[in-house]
Amino acid sequence: MGFSALTSITAVGINVATGFADNSAGFTIDYSGTGQHIAYIEDLYDVNATDLASAVDAKFAAVTAHVDLAAGSDATGQLVWTFASASSGIVAFPVVSLVIPRKS
């Protein structure tokens, strides 16, 4: 939902509705229009795997790559959003804790 859907109020926040890539392992949105304010977003929620191990591996790979991006120089000083939720058709994800080791 973009800011245009809000009526009779003054919108406050960052509008990332334009350019949001649904179900993507990684995309960017220039939310200021100047090239100086970039949102790096991971929102791969439907990994489309047929077995639980492959589904978890696919989501884990997307999240790990995005966390690595946040720790690297490309996203320094920018917004980085990583959504850890996921599903895969009829394969139900168990409730798990996701731990990604920090690189030294």
Side-chain angles (χ1 to χ4, degrees):
M1 178 175 76
F3 285 170
S4 62
L6 304 173
T7 58
S8 303
I9 64 169
T10 301
V12 176
I14 299 169
N15 185 2
V16 294
T18 302
F20 201 94
D22 188 46
N23 198 38
S24 175
F27 61 97
T28 60
I29 295 175
D30 176 0
Y31 59 89
S32 68
T34 65
Q36 296 178 354
H37 303 99
I38 307 296
Y40 291 81
I41 303 168
E42 178 278 321
D43 189 29
L44 181 65
Y45 59 85
D46 184 0
V47 295
N48 198 24
T50 57
D51 63 281
L52 182 58
S54 296
V56 171
D57 287 347
K59 181 60 181 185
F60 188 82
V63 170
T64 300
H66 212 248
V67 170
D68 286 346
L69 171 76
S73 61
D74 287 348
T76 300
Q78 303 298 334
L79 295 174
V80 180
W81 286 318
T82 303
F83 296 94
S85 60
S87 68
S88 182
I90 61 169
V91 176
F93 272 52
V95 176
V96 297
S97 295
L98 179 63
V99 178
I100 300 173
R102 182 177 174 182
K103 293 181 181 179
S104 301

